[in-house]
């Protein structure tokens, strides 16, 4: 039997709470370091999503609103996590890409902080895969992942790493466009501080170097996470835990070769290599390997033909229709 998950001890803000210009509604998400609410911006009546910094194991709510950190070592962890929460907002300020969810506002209240973004609807990829319970076909893989790789490439060019790519952090909008979410673990490529230690790593999607402080992080780290998410999109499960990344955590050409192009399967397998030096060095190279043999030669080619000029090309309309229907 699977162990029964312990109930979340955090008490959310009461529905109807007003902070700044926002009226809070129900909780729509719970992360290890935050609660996520649906809310209304009173001055414009727009629906927004608000993330409240409230770490699960290091703080409690005093009364109906105020967040109080626990004492001792937990106080230090709370403080470090609070700094990283601000880092997320600063990271997002550097990114202006159509496939990155932007922070609309940030404010402090209740001895904690809040990040505000517009509520654009849709469902995350984890929901899609676990609800539909069917592998994504190749057309849909390109439709969802190429914009994400475009956003990730832009992020890397800004000298930032995401460090938490997984199905739950890819949003599928009702208009069929995908967005990269949650920059709570993002950090500069040049940083020697392992900020990600403040986050809960997602097993199956975080690469080996995120568990080992002696190994360096880089674009290859995010590329592994994208490949693991692609693996999940094809098999409906994360890669098997295998230190040597042997056959059990690879996509078999024999099993999947009739459904997916061999070059796509080979690219995912290489990006899942345990040794970071054997993976792709950049998102551009990884994307080109995924696209090899298709009508697009590179990520830039895809951006120009599909994302910018040919968004509703005939060969992607069916994939878009199915995706829109599923997340509506």
């Amino acid at each position: 039997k699977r162990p029964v998950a312990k109930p979340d001890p955090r008490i959310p803000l009461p529905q109807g709470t007003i902070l700044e210009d926002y009226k809070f509604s129900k909780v729509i998400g719970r992360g290890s370091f935050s609660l996520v609410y649906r809310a209304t911006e009173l001055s414009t009546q727009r629906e927004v999503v608000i993330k409240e910094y409230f770490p699960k194991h290091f703080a409690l709510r005093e009364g109906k609103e105020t967040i109080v950190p626990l004492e001792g070592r937990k106080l230090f962890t709370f403080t470090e996590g609070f700094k990283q929460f601000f880092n997320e907002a600063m990271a997002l300020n550097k990114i202006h890409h159509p496939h990155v969810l932007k922070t609309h506002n940030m404010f402090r209240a209740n001895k904690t902080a809040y990040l505000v973004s517009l509520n654009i609807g849709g469902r995350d990829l984890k929901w899609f895969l676990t609800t539909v319970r069917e592998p994504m076909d190749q057309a849909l893989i390109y439709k969802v992942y190429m914009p994400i790789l475009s956003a990730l490439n832009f992020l890397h060019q800004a000298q930032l790493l995401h460090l938490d790519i997984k199905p739950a952090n890819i949003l599928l909008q009702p208009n069929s466009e995908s967005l990269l979410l949650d920059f709570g673990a993002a950090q500069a490529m040049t940083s020697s501080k392992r900020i990600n230690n403040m986050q809960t790593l997602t097993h199956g999607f975080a690469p080996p170097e995120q568990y080992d402080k002696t190994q360096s992080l880089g674009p290859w780290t995010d590329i592994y996470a994208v490949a693991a998410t692609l693996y999940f999109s094809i098999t409906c499960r994360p890669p098997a835990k295998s230190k040597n990344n042997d056959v059990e955590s690879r996509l078999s050409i024999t099993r999947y070769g009739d459904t997916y192009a061999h070059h796509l399967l080979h690219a995912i397998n290489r990006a899942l290599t345990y040794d970071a030096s054997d993976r792709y060095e950049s998102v551009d190279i990884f994307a080109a390997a995924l696209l090899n043999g298709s009508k697009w030669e590179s990520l830039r080619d895809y951006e120009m033909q599909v994302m910018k000029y040919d968004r509703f090309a005939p060969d992607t309309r069916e994939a878009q229709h199915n995706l829109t229907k599923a997340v509506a």
Side-chain angles (χ1 to χ4, degrees), residues 159-179:
Q159 296 299 298
L160 291 168
L161 299 172
H162 187 282
L163 300 181
D164 194 22
I165 296 173
K166 56 189 177 183
N169 284 341
I170 294 176
L171 181 69
L172 308 177
Q173 301 176 77
N175 67 357
S176 81
E177 297 296 317
S178 55
L179 286 179

Side-chain angles (χ1 to χ4, degrees), residues 59-79:
L60 52 82
R61 195 181 300 279
E62 187 175 73
K64 293 184 178 181
E65 296 185 355
T66 305
I67 300 294
V68 179
L70 300 178
E71 298 296 326
R73 178 69 183 175
K74 292 183 177 181
L75 174 59
F76 172 80
T77 304
F78 178 93
T79 303

Side-chain angles (χ1 to χ4, degrees), residues 1-7:
K1 293 183 178 180
R2 293 183 178 181
V4 178
K6 295 182 180 179

Side-chain angles (χ1 to χ4, degrees), residues 142-212:
Y142 285 146
K143 173 63 185 172
V144 170
Y145 281 93
M146 287 303 132
I148 295 303
L149 287 172
S150 174
L152 188 60
N153 191 46
F154 190 88
L155 184 72
H156 289 174
Q157 289 174 351
Q159 296 299 298
L160 291 168
L161 299 172
H162 187 282
L163 300 181
D164 194 22
I165 296 173
K166 56 189 177 183
N169 284 341
I170 294 176
L171 181 69
L172 308 177
Q173 301 176 77
N175 67 357
S176 81
E177 297 296 317
S178 55
L179 286 179
L180 186 58
L181 305 178
D182 200 341
F183 287 74
Q187 70 179 66
M189 287 188 189
T190 55
S191 175
S192 59
K193 185 177 181 181
R194 298 300 285 267
I195 299 174
N196 202 53
N197 286 343
M198 303 308 305
Q199 306 294 320
T200 300
L201 299 179
T202 305
H203 300 300
F205 300 98
E209 61 266 26
Q210 284 189 272
Y211 296 91
D212 185 352

Side-chain angles (χ1 to χ4, degrees), residues 47 72 118 311:
E47 284 195 4
L118 295 181
R311 184 167 293 175

